[in-house]
Amino acid sequence: MKNEKDIFDFIKAKKVDVPDQAYFAALANSITDSKKNNIVPIYKRPVFWLSSAAAAIVIVFVALNFGETNVMHEKPLLAMNDLDTEIVYDYVNENINDFDAEMISEFIPTEVITSNTTEIFEVELEEVKTIETEELSFEDISTEDILNYFESEEISLSDFEDELFI
Amino acid sequence: MQKHLDDKYIIDLYNQGGKNIDIAFKGIVTLYGDKLYSQIRRITRNHEHTNDVLQNVLIKIHQNLDGFNQDSSLYTWIYRIARNETLNFIDKEKRRSGVDLDAPMIEILAGHDILDDTTPEKIQQLLQDAIESLPEKQALVFQLKYFEELKYSEISKQLATSEGALKASFHLAKQKIQQFIIDRLNH
């Protein structure tokens, strides 16, 4: 039956020692003061204006360069389309030494480059095969050559006593 | 200023903007600072921790006062911020140890066989856990009535709620807390 008693009749809450109003006033002041010192609207910050100016300069610079690059690519291509093929071939033949390899390869279709390369590799492979098929034999080398080789390499025959049954 | 200091006055001041924002904020601290301190310290049980939490609570109030939509009373809104901030702090602090805590803020009187077998430390923790499990408004009413010992008429003004509703809310809160504590002690 004791359990049915109201437990709040047996629990007594103690008062908390609350600091005086000066403590709360100081706390409030510290917050309002720190807000005044720290929080400056973003548009009033020098960093904001410096960053904006820098960003504007970069954007203008990039935009101008991008425009120029496009114009440089487009103008020659338009001119080339207007020219007759024979005139172009004649010009290239006469001035072939003025073109570097990189520039020429830029205008040669990829398929042409690929097929030529394959042919070159095929030729080289055949040559290698020919060399591989030639068999070498010790019979073709004279004893004198072998001894000369050992001497030049400073190899002593006594090192091979076991293998050669000397 | 302090003579007429109430929620309406504070909100009107805040809405005027400029320097009045800070004056309104200081009004809130003057009006509710001690209650907030008491509420937080009962949970953190240490002045330094209370100071840290209270500072965070006040900063949030200052930052977010323009978001107070007056659906509830100003103190209900402030209490919610303080409660969340304190519980977050306690969650973080649980991982730490060696902090000097205040002596239990409750006293157990002899005569209840279940309570006689336990310590004030244990009951204080259970009481705190039970309050945390309550709905926000009930917890607030319980805090103000039980710990702060305010009259219903005062709570009614602060929370903009009728005295009848407050009495019912407090009665319900007590029942739930009692059941919570007995259940935990019987296990």
Side-chain angles (χ1 to χ4, degrees), chain A residues 126-140:
Chain A
E126 279 173 11
E127 283 173 0
V128 172
K129 277 180 191 170
T130 320
I131 294 165
E132 280 176 356
T133 51
E134 284 179 27
E135 287 182 7
L136 289 172
S137 168
F138 277 110
E139 288 171 7
D140 300 333

Side-chain angles (χ1 to χ4, degrees), chain A:
Chain A
M1 289 301 282
K2 275 184 181 178
N3 286 357
E4 289 173 8
K5 288 177 183 173
D6 187 343
I7 64 166
F8 287 102
D9 292 337
F10 298 88
I11 299 173
K12 192 180 172 188
K14 293 179 189 170
K15 279 275 176 194
V16 172
D17 290 330
V18 179
D20 59 18
Q21 273 299 321
Y23 163 80
F24 294 105
L27 204 55
N29 284 334
S30 72
I31 289 165
T32 52
D33 290 349
S34 69
K35 293 285 167 190
K36 275 177 201 158
N37 294 333
N38 294 336
I39 299 177
V40 180
I42 194 163
Y43 61 86
K44 288 184 182 172
R45 295 178 194 176
V47 176
F48 172 77
W49 290 107
L50 287 172
S51 308
S52 304
I57 289 166
V58 170
I59 288 168
V60 168
F61 182 76
V62 169
L64 286 175
N65 275 343
F66 184 72
E68 277 178 18
T69 315
N70 279 349
V71 172
M72 282 176 77
H73 276 289
E74 282 168 11
K75 276 183 180 171
L77 285 174
L78 284 171
M80 291 285 280
N81 289 337
D82 295 340
L83 290 173
D84 192 39
T85 316
E86 280 184 18
I87 297 170
V88 174
Y89 283 149
D90 288 344
Y91 176 81
V92 171
N93 281 334
E94 281 171 22
N95 300 285
I96 190 71
N97 291 332
D98 296 339
F99 297 99
D100 60 17
E102 204 174 311
M103 187 193 273
I104 294 168
S105 65
E106 214 173 290
F107 291 96
I108 299 174
T110 323
E111 308 86 57
V112 175
I113 296 171
T114 317
S115 61
N116 286 343
T117 317
T118 317
E119 281 168 17
I120 292 163
F121 282 133
E122 279 170 1
V123 171
E124 282 176 358
L125 278 172
E126 279 173 11
E127 283 173 0
V128 172
K129 277 180 191 170
T130 320
I131 294 165
E132 280 176 356
T133 51
E134 284 179 27
E135 287 182 7
L136 289 172
S137 168
F138 277 110
E139 288 171 7
D140 300 333
I141 305 168
S142 67
T143 313
E144 196 180 340
D145 286 341
I146 296 171
L147 291 174
N148 284 340
Y149 172 74
F150 279 0
E151 198 178 328
S152 67
E153 294 293 323
E154 296 178 349
I155 300 169
S156 170
L157 284 175
S158 58
D159 294 340
F160 300 98
E161 278 179 356
D162 294 337
E163 288 86 352
L164 299 174
F165 303 109
I166 297 171

Side-chain angles (χ1 to χ4, degrees), chain B residues 1 7 15 32 34 53 62 66 73 88-89 92 100 109 113 117 125 130-131 156 159 164-165 167 174 179:
Chain B
M1 185 182 88
D7 286 5
N15 288 335
Y32 299 119
D34 54 349
V53 176
H62 193 276
D66 57 343
S73 72
N88 286 340
F89 177 84
K92 287 176 194 164
D100 290 333
L109 306 177
D113 60 346
D117 295 335
Q125 188 55 55
I131 293 169
S156 174
L159 305 187
K167 283 175 187 171
K174 273 179 74 175
Q179 197 58 51

